[in-house]
Amino acid sequence: MSRAHQTQVLVVGGGPVGLALAIDLAQRGIKVIVVEARHPGEKPSPKCNHVSARTMEIFRRLGVAKELRDAGLPEDYPNDVAYRTSFVGEEISRIPIPCRRDRYTATGGPDTWWPTPEPPHRINQVFLEPVIFAHAMKTPGLTILNRTRITDFKQDEEGVEASAEALDSDEKIGIRADYLVGCDGGRSIVRKKIGARLSGTDVVGRVQSTYFRAPDLLARAKAPPAWATFSLNPRRSGNVYAIDGKETFILHNYLKADETDFSSVDRDWGIRTILGVGDDFTYEILSEEDWIARRLVADKFRDRRAFICGDAAHLWVPMAGYGMNAGIADAMNLSWLLAARLHGWGGEGILDAHQAERLPITEQVSRLAMNHALSLQKEREGVHADIDLDGDAGKKARAAAGKALYDLNVKQYCCGGLNFGYYYDASPVIAYDGEAAPSYTMDTFTPSTVPGCRTPHLWLDDGRSLYDAMGAGFTLLRLDPSVDVAGLEVAAAERGVPFEILDVSSSDAGSLYPQKLVLSRPDQHVAWRGDRMPSDPFALIDLVRGSNTDRRKEANREPLHSSEVLL
Ligand SMILES: Cc1cc2nc3c(=O)[nH]c(=O)nc-3n(C[C@H](O)[C@H](O)[C@H](O)COP(=O)(O)OP(=O)(O)OC[C@H]3O[C@@H](n4cnc5c(N)ncnc54)[C@H](O)[C@@H]3O)c2cc1C
């Protein structure tokens, strides 16, 4: 038996990255087929626990943020990160993170001040994926073929021809598409087929990881519950994440450098030591989820009409909770570029932007995550022998460790820089103006309208989020309504580029938006800015739609002052 399908974009893999990509493409009017080996709505293994603010901003635009915010832990369950001598032992330190009920209103916390309409959300992937899947199923133009596996594909000038097999029958399926995107995870066949190679650090560490049910655990702890509870003691350090806020947890036992085999440490001993419980404690293992922490990045993200995103393109230790979130950022970067090309207004060069923009960021983030993992490893290895003693010696050791743990870990659990700080500084479709983007670290960032940066968020005077007011295509943010922008409007219309003008009235704009005009791309990154319309609006529109890369090469040769570029 055989059957054939035709579509514009074929997404291989319906994990969080593939589904986010497919929803965004479909919302942009592109026909998409997602091929996924799992059953419809089948839960993944319990990996990701942190959905970043930037990803939540994206989910807000895709129309699924509210449903996601309502899912996961109970609404009043603290999202804090606690450091203790063991799960039931003495608390050493705590990073306060609001529960989801208070997430939009809380103040005074290390991440409550962030300039975003959507703060981060702590939810495990087992709850997240079914919500995204249900949203995808309701999205017109999007078809999901579950229990189907892509086995091969080839490309020609006009498109991609993929072969698939139904997993519950002997049916063979052929799928013809204009483009194919591999969101097929760490073992990606698409990555292999496009000849991309992973390079970096094969092993940063090993983690014996156990998903378990223990209805009795929370009641045994002395301190209030937390979303993440880290045990630090000389015997065995590890981390426990609350999954349902009642009885299910995932526990990471960080193996030591000489424990090179997952079975070299007795699992039950590790669990009991990290929890600080004896033989009277009972728990049920739901699954064993051991993993190797790595730092691997593909050397290319594209071969002609085939691309890779998410874990297919990069794998790194999930410090700062930034694997899926980085993958969704890849997907949102690629989505509008593909849509532009398929709708006909994106030029030949527009698809080159994906790798030029995302590969450098991927390298940077992978190194930040790995370096953080190595710092934590040192922290665990250097744990003071007195840490869980009663009396003054223990108190002193805990006080010293508490401050160090807070200072080190607030960076990863409140990683504002990874959310808002990254910028694209070598793109063929951005009109740079010579000013360097502000630098960022894992936790620090400076909102900026330097081309390539995330369009800084602000609240409009009428109470709306800037992002809610912006269009799905390019939005020209006009900070002074007297500036004439008709020429840009005409150029965009003639080239078929989706373009809206938004007069920004906001008491927050001040120094955040020093120029009167900012052109924001469909992915909410700045494409251009200036105080007046460029003298050649067509040149700017052609550059940002990937049809005039020569202009940028000129601009790159000699850095120009902002007001000179393309005027
Ligand atoms: C312990 C742990 C904790 C983590 N915590 C976080 C966190 O807090 N935050 C974060 O952002 N990330 C975290 N991550 C990383 C995160 O889980 C991954 O980055 C994320 O799942 C990647 O999503 P993806 O869609 O790229 O790939 P996957 O989730 O692997 O999905 C790939 C999909 O493709 C399907 N597939 C594969 N091959 C084929 C084929 N040939 N045909 C059809 N279907 C196919 C698979 O069935 C799968 O559904 C964590 C990871 C681990 C291990």
PDB file of all heavy atoms in Angstrom, residues 12-18 35-38 47-50 125 148-150 183-185 252 291 310-311 318 321-325, ligand 1:
ATOM      1  N   VAL A  12       9.787  17.476  10.016  1.00  0.00           N
ATOM      2  CA  VAL A  12      10.073  16.126  10.499  1.00  0.00           C
ATOM      3  C   VAL A  12      10.227  16.203  12.020  1.00  0.00           C
ATOM      4  O   VAL A  12      11.168  16.805  12.528  1.00  0.00           O
ATOM      5  CB  VAL A  12      11.371  15.569   9.872  1.00  0.00           C
ATOM      6  CG1 VAL A  12      11.582  14.123  10.312  1.00  0.00           C
ATOM      7  CG2 VAL A  12      11.322  15.678   8.361  1.00  0.00           C
ATOM      8  N   GLY A  13       9.266  15.625  12.744  1.00  0.00           N
ATOM      9  CA  GLY A  13       9.333  15.636  14.207  1.00  0.00           C
ATOM     10  C   GLY A  13       8.356  16.634  14.811  1.00  0.00           C
ATOM     11  O   GLY A  13       8.397  17.822  14.518  1.00  0.00           O
ATOM     12  N   GLY A  14       7.456  16.103  15.626  1.00  0.00           N
ATOM     13  CA  GLY A  14       6.447  16.946  16.287  1.00  0.00           C
ATOM     14  C   GLY A  14       6.707  17.071  17.763  1.00  0.00           C
ATOM     15  O   GLY A  14       5.816  16.919  18.588  1.00  0.00           O
ATOM     16  N   GLY A  15       7.952  17.346  18.130  1.00  0.00           N
ATOM     17  CA  GLY A  15       8.276  17.724  19.508  1.00  0.00           C
ATOM     18  C   GLY A  15       7.928  19.207  19.669  1.00  0.00           C
ATOM     19  O   GLY A  15       7.276  19.802  18.805  1.00  0.00           O
ATOM     20  N   PRO A  16       8.377  19.832  20.757  1.00  0.00           N
ATOM     21  CA  PRO A  16       8.004  21.238  20.967  1.00  0.00           C
ATOM     22  C   PRO A  16       8.490  22.164  19.859  1.00  0.00           C
ATOM     23  O   PRO A  16       7.793  23.114  19.494  1.00  0.00           O
ATOM     24  CB  PRO A  16       8.664  21.587  22.308  1.00  0.00           C
ATOM     25  CG  PRO A  16       9.647  20.494  22.597  1.00  0.00           C
ATOM     26  CD  PRO A  16       9.178  19.285  21.871  1.00  0.00           C
ATOM     27  N   VAL A  17       9.663  21.875  19.306  1.00  0.00           N
ATOM     28  CA  VAL A  17      10.217  22.770  18.282  1.00  0.00           C
ATOM     29  C   VAL A  17       9.445  22.609  16.970  1.00  0.00           C
ATOM     30  O   VAL A  17       9.026  23.591  16.351  1.00  0.00           O
ATOM     31  CB  VAL A  17      11.734  22.501  18.108  1.00  0.00           C
ATOM     32  CG1 VAL A  17      12.304  23.317  16.967  1.00  0.00           C
ATOM     33  CG2 VAL A  17      12.466  22.822  19.416  1.00  0.00           C
ATOM     34  N   GLY A  18       9.230  21.354  16.564  1.00  0.00           N
ATOM     35  CA  GLY A  18       8.503  21.111  15.317  1.00  0.00           C
ATOM     36  C   GLY A  18       7.086  21.658  15.366  1.00  0.00           C
ATOM     37  O   GLY A  18       6.596  22.254  14.401  1.00  0.00           O
ATOM     38  N   VAL A  35       5.370  15.296  10.467  1.00  0.00           N
ATOM     39  CA  VAL A  35       5.416  13.834  10.573  1.00  0.00           C
ATOM     40  C   VAL A  35       6.041  13.495  11.923  1.00  0.00           C
ATOM     41  O   VAL A  35       7.133  13.960  12.247  1.00  0.00           O
ATOM     42  CB  VAL A  35       6.243  13.235   9.420  1.00  0.00           C
ATOM     43  CG1 VAL A  35       6.422  11.739   9.616  1.00  0.00           C
ATOM     44  CG2 VAL A  35       5.547  13.505   8.097  1.00  0.00           C
ATOM     45  N   GLU A  36       5.331  12.708  12.703  1.00  0.00           N
ATOM     46  CA  GLU A  36       5.785  12.426  14.067  1.00  0.00           C
ATOM     47  C   GLU A  36       5.614  10.935  14.368  1.00  0.00           C
ATOM     48  O   GLU A  36       4.552  10.363  14.139  1.00  0.00           O
ATOM     49  CB  GLU A  36       4.976  13.275  15.067  1.00  0.00           C
ATOM     50  CG  GLU A  36       5.099  12.879  16.526  1.00  0.00           C
ATOM     51  CD  GLU A  36       6.539  12.829  17.058  1.00  0.00           C
ATOM     52  OE1 GLU A  36       7.292  13.789  16.837  1.00  0.00           O
ATOM     53  OE2 GLU A  36       6.897  11.802  17.676  1.00  0.00           O
ATOM     54  N   ALA A  37       6.649  10.356  14.902  1.00  0.00           N
ATOM     55  CA  ALA A  37       6.640   8.913  15.170  1.00  0.00           C
ATOM     56  C   ALA A  37       5.715   8.535  16.333  1.00  0.00           C
ATOM     57  O   ALA A  37       5.205   7.418  16.384  1.00  0.00           O
ATOM     58  CB  ALA A  37       8.065   8.449  15.460  1.00  0.00           C
ATOM     59  N   ARG A  38       5.488   9.476  17.247  1.00  0.00           N
ATOM     60  CA  ARG A  38       4.686   9.120  18.433  1.00  0.00           C
ATOM     61  C   ARG A  38       3.187   9.114  18.124  1.00  0.00           C
ATOM     62  O   ARG A  38       2.750   9.656  17.112  1.00  0.00           O
ATOM     63  CB  ARG A  38       4.970  10.124  19.557  1.00  0.00           C
ATOM     64  CG  ARG A  38       6.305   9.906  20.225  1.00  0.00           C
ATOM     65  CD  ARG A  38       6.530  10.901  21.346  1.00  0.00           C
ATOM     66  NE  ARG A  38       6.798  12.235  20.849  1.00  0.00           N
ATOM     67  CZ  ARG A  38       6.574  13.353  21.527  1.00  0.00           C
ATOM     68  NH1 ARG A  38       6.044  13.306  22.726  1.00  0.00           N
ATOM     69  NH2 ARG A  38       6.857  14.535  21.003  1.00  0.00           N
ATOM     70  N   LYS A  47      11.519  15.944  30.424  1.00  0.00           N
ATOM     71  CA  LYS A  47      12.816  16.622  30.334  1.00  0.00           C
ATOM     72  C   LYS A  47      12.676  18.085  30.757  1.00  0.00           C
ATOM     73  O   LYS A  47      12.929  18.436  31.893  1.00  0.00           O
ATOM     74  CB  LYS A  47      13.348  16.517  28.901  1.00  0.00           C
ATOM     75  CG  LYS A  47      13.610  15.080  28.457  1.00  0.00           C
ATOM     76  CD  LYS A  47      14.273  15.008  27.100  1.00  0.00           C
ATOM     77  CE  LYS A  47      13.345  15.316  25.951  1.00  0.00           C
ATOM     78  NZ  LYS A  47      13.932  15.175  24.632  1.00  0.00           N
ATOM     79  N   CYS A  48      12.272  18.918  29.816  1.00  0.00           N
ATOM     80  CA  CYS A  48      12.286  20.370  30.045  1.00  0.00           C
ATOM     81  C   CYS A  48      11.276  20.803  31.123  1.00  0.00           C
ATOM     82  O   CYS A  48      10.138  20.356  31.138  1.00  0.00           O
ATOM     83  CB  CYS A  48      11.974  21.023  28.709  1.00  0.00           C
ATOM     84  SG  CYS A  48      11.457  22.704  28.763  1.00  0.00           S
ATOM     85  N   ASN A  49      11.741  21.673  32.017  1.00  0.00           N
ATOM     86  CA  ASN A  49      10.878  22.166  33.107  1.00  0.00           C
ATOM     87  C   ASN A  49      10.669  23.668  33.068  1.00  0.00           C
ATOM     88  O   ASN A  49       9.925  24.205  33.862  1.00  0.00           O
ATOM     89  CB  ASN A  49      11.541  21.846  34.452  1.00  0.00           C
ATOM     90  CG  ASN A  49      11.419  20.388  34.792  1.00  0.00           C
ATOM     91  OD1 ASN A  49      10.334  19.905  35.080  1.00  0.00           O
ATOM     92  ND2 ASN A  49      12.524  19.668  34.738  1.00  0.00           N
ATOM     93  N   HIS A  50      11.390  24.337  32.187  1.00  0.00           N
ATOM     94  CA  HIS A  50      11.383  25.800  32.217  1.00  0.00           C
ATOM     95  C   HIS A  50      11.080  26.354  30.835  1.00  0.00           C
ATOM     96  O   HIS A  50      11.813  26.087  29.876  1.00  0.00           O
ATOM     97  CB  HIS A  50      12.764  26.286  32.690  1.00  0.00           C
ATOM     98  CG  HIS A  50      13.052  27.710  32.364  1.00  0.00           C
ATOM     99  ND1 HIS A  50      14.101  28.086  31.567  1.00  0.00           N
ATOM    100  CD2 HIS A  50      12.431  28.853  32.723  1.00  0.00           C
ATOM    101  CE1 HIS A  50      14.118  29.408  31.458  1.00  0.00           C
ATOM    102  NE2 HIS A  50      13.118  29.896  32.140  1.00  0.00           N
ATOM    103  N   GLN A 125       7.702  19.332  30.389  1.00  0.00           N
ATOM    104  CA  GLN A 125       7.385  19.001  28.993  1.00  0.00           C
ATOM    105  C   GLN A 125       6.207  18.027  28.883  1.00  0.00           C
ATOM    106  O   GLN A 125       5.487  18.041  27.892  1.00  0.00           O
ATOM    107  CB  GLN A 125       8.648  18.395  28.363  1.00  0.00           C
ATOM    108  CG  GLN A 125       8.854  18.723  26.914  1.00  0.00           C
ATOM    109  CD  GLN A 125      10.280  18.450  26.435  1.00  0.00           C
ATOM    110  OE1 GLN A 125      11.224  18.513  27.227  1.00  0.00           O
ATOM    111  NE2 GLN A 125      10.448  18.168  25.170  1.00  0.00           N
ATOM    112  N   THR A 148       4.100   7.913  12.204  1.00  0.00           N
ATOM    113  CA  THR A 148       4.713   7.888  10.885  1.00  0.00           C
ATOM    114  C   THR A 148       6.167   8.312  11.053  1.00  0.00           C
ATOM    115  O   THR A 148       6.449   9.215  11.837  1.00  0.00           O
ATOM    116  CB  THR A 148       3.971   8.878   9.948  1.00  0.00           C
ATOM    117  OG1 THR A 148       2.577   8.595   9.996  1.00  0.00           O
ATOM    118  CG2 THR A 148       4.461   8.771   8.512  1.00  0.00           C
ATOM    119  N   ARG A 149       7.025   7.661  10.327  1.00  0.00           N
ATOM    120  CA  ARG A 149       8.454   7.985  10.465  1.00  0.00           C
ATOM    121  C   ARG A 149       9.036   8.327   9.094  1.00  0.00           C
ATOM    122  O   ARG A 149       8.814   7.610   8.129  1.00  0.00           O
ATOM    123  CB  ARG A 149       9.206   6.780  11.050  1.00  0.00           C
ATOM    124  CG  ARG A 149      10.683   7.069  11.325  1.00  0.00           C
ATOM    125  CD  ARG A 149      11.451   5.812  11.711  1.00  0.00           C
ATOM    126  NE  ARG A 149      10.876   5.146  12.862  1.00  0.00           N
ATOM    127  CZ  ARG A 149      11.059   5.517  14.134  1.00  0.00           C
ATOM    128  NH1 ARG A 149      11.793   6.582  14.406  1.00  0.00           N
ATOM    129  NH2 ARG A 149      10.503   4.842  15.116  1.00  0.00           N
ATOM    130  N   ILE A 150       9.760   9.407   9.051  1.00  0.00           N
ATOM    131  CA  ILE A 150      10.484   9.754   7.820  1.00  0.00           C
ATOM    132  C   ILE A 150      11.728   8.870   7.774  1.00  0.00           C
ATOM    133  O   ILE A 150      12.492   8.796   8.742  1.00  0.00           O
ATOM    134  CB  ILE A 150      10.889  11.249   7.818  1.00  0.00           C
ATOM    135  CG1 ILE A 150       9.648  12.152   7.782  1.00  0.00           C
ATOM    136  CG2 ILE A 150      11.855  11.566   6.670  1.00  0.00           C
ATOM    137  CD1 ILE A 150       8.875  12.166   6.494  1.00  0.00           C
ATOM    138  N   CYS A 183      13.146  18.731  12.660  1.00  0.00           N
ATOM    139  CA  CYS A 183      13.028  19.053  14.099  1.00  0.00           C
ATOM    140  C   CYS A 183      12.957  17.705  14.796  1.00  0.00           C
ATOM    141  O   CYS A 183      12.092  17.456  15.636  1.00  0.00           O
ATOM    142  CB  CYS A 183      11.765  19.865  14.368  1.00  0.00           C
ATOM    143  SG  CYS A 183      11.696  21.400  13.464  1.00  0.00           S
ATOM    144  N   ASP A 184      13.829  16.816  14.374  1.00  0.00           N
ATOM    145  CA  ASP A 184      13.713  15.415  14.755  1.00  0.00           C
ATOM    146  C   ASP A 184      14.674  15.028  15.861  1.00  0.00           C
ATOM    147  O   ASP A 184      15.074  13.860  15.973  1.00  0.00           O
ATOM    148  CB  ASP A 184      13.858  14.509  13.518  1.00  0.00           C
ATOM    149  CG  ASP A 184      15.064  14.849  12.640  1.00  0.00           C
ATOM    150  OD1 ASP A 184      15.614  15.952  12.786  1.00  0.00           O
ATOM    151  OD2 ASP A 184      15.444  14.017  11.810  1.00  0.00           O
ATOM    152  N   GLY A 185      15.051  16.008  16.688  1.00  0.00           N
ATOM    153  CA  GLY A 185      15.745  15.702  17.930  1.00  0.00           C
ATOM    154  C   GLY A 185      17.207  15.307  17.759  1.00  0.00           C
ATOM    155  O   GLY A 185      17.784  15.365  16.667  1.00  0.00           O
ATOM    156  N   HIS A 252      17.714  14.302  39.600  1.00  0.00           N
ATOM    157  CA  HIS A 252      18.973  14.200  38.863  1.00  0.00           C
ATOM    158  C   HIS A 252      20.105  13.937  39.845  1.00  0.00           C
ATOM    159  O   HIS A 252      20.372  14.777  40.712  1.00  0.00           O
ATOM    160  CB  HIS A 252      19.284  15.508  38.120  1.00  0.00           C
ATOM    161  CG  HIS A 252      18.252  15.880  37.087  1.00  0.00           C
ATOM    162  ND1 HIS A 252      17.615  14.957  36.297  1.00  0.00           N
ATOM    163  CD2 HIS A 252      17.758  17.074  36.705  1.00  0.00           C
ATOM    164  CE1 HIS A 252      16.776  15.569  35.487  1.00  0.00           C
ATOM    165  NE2 HIS A 252      16.828  16.852  35.720  1.00  0.00           N
ATOM    166  N   TRP A 291      20.980  10.643  31.320  1.00  0.00           N
ATOM    167  CA  TRP A 291      21.427  11.423  30.163  1.00  0.00           C
ATOM    168  C   TRP A 291      22.855  11.906  30.339  1.00  0.00           C
ATOM    169  O   TRP A 291      23.346  12.054  31.447  1.00  0.00           O
ATOM    170  CB  TRP A 291      20.511  12.606  29.871  1.00  0.00           C
ATOM    171  CG  TRP A 291      20.121  13.450  31.057  1.00  0.00           C
ATOM    172  CD1 TRP A 291      19.148  13.152  31.967  1.00  0.00           C
ATOM    173  CD2 TRP A 291      20.685  14.696  31.473  1.00  0.00           C
ATOM    174  NE1 TRP A 291      19.067  14.144  32.920  1.00  0.00           N
ATOM    175  CE2 TRP A 291      19.995  15.112  32.637  1.00  0.00           C
ATOM    176  CE3 TRP A 291      21.696  15.517  30.972  1.00  0.00           C
ATOM    177  CZ2 TRP A 291      20.282  16.286  33.311  1.00  0.00           C
ATOM    178  CZ3 TRP A 291      21.985  16.701  31.634  1.00  0.00           C
ATOM    179  CH2 TRP A 291      21.283  17.077  32.781  1.00  0.00           C
ATOM    180  N   GLY A 310      16.386  23.122  16.561  1.00  0.00           N
ATOM    181  CA  GLY A 310      16.223  22.479  17.871  1.00  0.00           C
ATOM    182  C   GLY A 310      17.326  21.479  18.148  1.00  0.00           C
ATOM    183  O   GLY A 310      18.466  21.631  17.697  1.00  0.00           O
ATOM    184  N   ASP A 311      16.974  20.420  18.893  1.00  0.00           N
ATOM    185  CA  ASP A 311      17.988  19.429  19.271  1.00  0.00           C
ATOM    186  C   ASP A 311      18.641  18.781  18.053  1.00  0.00           C
ATOM    187  O   ASP A 311      19.745  18.237  18.159  1.00  0.00           O
ATOM    188  CB  ASP A 311      17.371  18.326  20.150  1.00  0.00           C
ATOM    189  CG  ASP A 311      17.304  18.734  21.620  1.00  0.00           C
ATOM    190  OD1 ASP A 311      17.421  19.937  21.908  1.00  0.00           O
ATOM    191  OD2 ASP A 311      17.108  17.848  22.481  1.00  0.00           O
ATOM    192  N   PRO A 318      21.379  21.035  29.922  1.00  0.00           N
ATOM    193  CA  PRO A 318      20.233  21.955  30.062  1.00  0.00           C
ATOM    194  C   PRO A 318      20.368  22.935  31.224  1.00  0.00           C
ATOM    195  O   PRO A 318      19.430  23.123  31.983  1.00  0.00           O
ATOM    196  CB  PRO A 318      19.048  21.004  30.246  1.00  0.00           C
ATOM    197  CG  PRO A 318      19.625  19.778  30.844  1.00  0.00           C
ATOM    198  CD  PRO A 318      21.039  19.672  30.342  1.00  0.00           C
ATOM    199  N   GLY A 321      17.961  25.940  31.682  1.00  0.00           N
ATOM    200  CA  GLY A 321      16.739  25.477  31.023  1.00  0.00           C
ATOM    201  C   GLY A 321      16.636  26.032  29.620  1.00  0.00           C
ATOM    202  O   GLY A 321      15.654  26.660  29.262  1.00  0.00           O
ATOM    203  N   TYR A 322      17.688  25.811  28.829  1.00  0.00           N
ATOM    204  CA  TYR A 322      17.680  26.499  27.547  1.00  0.00           C
ATOM    205  C   TYR A 322      17.960  25.614  26.353  1.00  0.00           C
ATOM    206  O   TYR A 322      18.695  25.991  25.463  1.00  0.00           O
ATOM    207  CB  TYR A 322      18.646  27.702  27.588  1.00  0.00           C
ATOM    208  CG  TYR A 322      17.886  28.952  27.272  1.00  0.00           C
ATOM    209  CD1 TYR A 322      17.182  29.613  28.254  1.00  0.00           C
ATOM    210  CD2 TYR A 322      17.781  29.400  25.960  1.00  0.00           C
ATOM    211  CE1 TYR A 322      16.414  30.711  27.955  1.00  0.00           C
ATOM    212  CE2 TYR A 322      17.016  30.510  25.658  1.00  0.00           C
ATOM    213  CZ  TYR A 322      16.346  31.160  26.660  1.00  0.00           C
ATOM    214  OH  TYR A 322      15.572  32.241  26.351  1.00  0.00           O
ATOM    215  N   GLY A 323      17.386  24.408  26.320  1.00  0.00           N
ATOM    216  CA  GLY A 323      17.516  23.571  25.139  1.00  0.00           C
ATOM    217  C   GLY A 323      16.317  23.782  24.240  1.00  0.00           C
ATOM    218  O   GLY A 323      16.423  24.274  23.117  1.00  0.00           O
ATOM    219  N   MET A 324      15.149  23.462  24.764  1.00  0.00           N
ATOM    220  CA  MET A 324      13.918  23.658  24.003  1.00  0.00           C
ATOM    221  C   MET A 324      13.717  25.134  23.648  1.00  0.00           C
ATOM    222  O   MET A 324      13.313  25.477  22.538  1.00  0.00           O
ATOM    223  CB  MET A 324      12.731  23.172  24.835  1.00  0.00           C
ATOM    224  CG  MET A 324      11.413  23.380  24.131  1.00  0.00           C
ATOM    225  SD  MET A 324      10.024  23.261  25.252  1.00  0.00           S
ATOM    226  CE  MET A 324      10.091  24.846  26.073  1.00  0.00           C
ATOM    227  N   ASN A 325      14.029  25.990  24.611  1.00  0.00           N
ATOM    228  CA  ASN A 325      13.799  27.416  24.367  1.00  0.00           C
ATOM    229  C   ASN A 325      14.662  27.918  23.213  1.00  0.00           C
ATOM    230  O   ASN A 325      14.200  28.705  22.381  1.00  0.00           O
ATOM    231  CB  ASN A 325      14.082  28.213  25.650  1.00  0.00           C
ATOM    232  CG  ASN A 325      13.049  27.901  26.723  1.00  0.00           C
ATOM    233  OD1 ASN A 325      11.864  28.087  26.514  1.00  0.00           O
ATOM    234  ND2 ASN A 325      13.491  27.395  27.861  1.00  0.00           N
TER     235      ASN A 325
HETATM  236  C1  LIG B   1      17.004  16.456  31.835  1.00  0.00           C
HETATM  237  C2  LIG B   1      16.681  17.492  30.810  1.00  0.00           C
HETATM  238  C3  LIG B   1      16.136  18.694  31.223  1.00  0.00           C
HETATM  239  C4  LIG B   1      15.847  19.661  30.288  1.00  0.00           C
HETATM  240  N1  LIG B   1      15.336  20.857  30.698  1.00  0.00           N
HETATM  241  C5  LIG B   1      15.084  21.817  29.807  1.00  0.00           C
HETATM  242  C6  LIG B   1      14.518  23.059  30.207  1.00  0.00           C
HETATM  243  O1  LIG B   1      14.209  23.291  31.375  1.00  0.00           O
HETATM  244  N2  LIG B   1      14.309  24.001  29.252  1.00  0.00           N
HETATM  245  C7  LIG B   1      14.619  23.777  27.952  1.00  0.00           C
HETATM  246  O2  LIG B   1      14.428  24.681  27.136  1.00  0.00           O
HETATM  247  N3  LIG B   1      15.101  22.587  27.552  1.00  0.00           N
HETATM  248  C8  LIG B   1      15.345  21.616  28.436  1.00  0.00           C
HETATM  249  N4  LIG B   1      15.829  20.427  28.007  1.00  0.00           N
HETATM  250  C9  LIG B   1      16.040  20.189  26.588  1.00  0.00           C
HETATM  251  C10 LIG B   1      14.723  19.896  25.877  1.00  0.00           C
HETATM  252  O3  LIG B   1      14.071  18.801  26.460  1.00  0.00           O
HETATM  253  C11 LIG B   1      14.998  19.642  24.415  1.00  0.00           C
HETATM  254  O4  LIG B   1      15.853  20.667  23.944  1.00  0.00           O
HETATM  255  C12 LIG B   1      13.733  19.622  23.584  1.00  0.00           C
HETATM  256  O5  LIG B   1      12.933  18.512  23.842  1.00  0.00           O
HETATM  257  C13 LIG B   1      14.088  19.622  22.109  1.00  0.00           C
HETATM  258  O6  LIG B   1      12.924  19.676  21.360  1.00  0.00           O
HETATM  259  P1  LIG B   1      12.924  19.188  19.847  1.00  0.00           P
HETATM  260  O7  LIG B   1      11.521  19.385  19.385  1.00  0.00           O
HETATM  261  O8  LIG B   1      14.039  19.819  19.117  1.00  0.00           O
HETATM  262  O9  LIG B   1      13.303  17.645  19.910  1.00  0.00           O
HETATM  263  P2  LIG B   1      12.546  16.443  20.628  1.00  0.00           P
HETATM  264  O10 LIG B   1      11.840  16.885  21.824  1.00  0.00           O
HETATM  265  O11 LIG B   1      13.562  15.363  20.756  1.00  0.00           O
HETATM  266  O12 LIG B   1      11.462  16.016  19.565  1.00  0.00           O
HETATM  267  C14 LIG B   1      11.827  15.359  18.368  1.00  0.00           C
HETATM  268  C15 LIG B   1      10.607  14.626  17.851  1.00  0.00           C
HETATM  269  O13 LIG B   1      10.900  14.091  16.577  1.00  0.00           O
HETATM  270  C16 LIG B   1      10.339  12.792  16.479  1.00  0.00           C
HETATM  271  N5  LIG B   1      11.136  12.097  15.461  1.00  0.00           N
HETATM  272  C17 LIG B   1      12.469  11.839  15.483  1.00  0.00           C
HETATM  273  N6  LIG B   1      12.850  11.257  14.333  1.00  0.00           N
HETATM  274  C18 LIG B   1      11.750  11.155  13.560  1.00  0.00           C
HETATM  275  C19 LIG B   1      11.506  10.646  12.241  1.00  0.00           C
HETATM  276  N7  LIG B   1      12.497  10.138  11.477  1.00  0.00           N
HETATM  277  N8  LIG B   1      10.252  10.691  11.780  1.00  0.00           N
HETATM  278  C20 LIG B   1       9.243  11.184  12.530  1.00  0.00           C
HETATM  279  N9  LIG B   1       9.406  11.682  13.783  1.00  0.00           N
HETATM  280  C21 LIG B   1      10.644  11.678  14.278  1.00  0.00           C
HETATM  281  C22 LIG B   1      10.461  12.221  17.884  1.00  0.00           C
HETATM  282  O14 LIG B   1       9.487  11.218  18.101  1.00  0.00           O
HETATM  283  C23 LIG B   1      10.212  13.460  18.747  1.00  0.00           C
HETATM  284  O15 LIG B   1       8.862  13.612  19.093  1.00  0.00           O
HETATM  285  C24 LIG B   1      16.116  19.421  28.919  1.00  0.00           C
HETATM  286  C25 LIG B   1      16.653  18.202  28.513  1.00  0.00           C
HETATM  287  C26 LIG B   1      16.943  17.253  29.445  1.00  0.00           C
HETATM  288  C27 LIG B   1      17.552  15.942  29.002  1.00  0.00           C
END
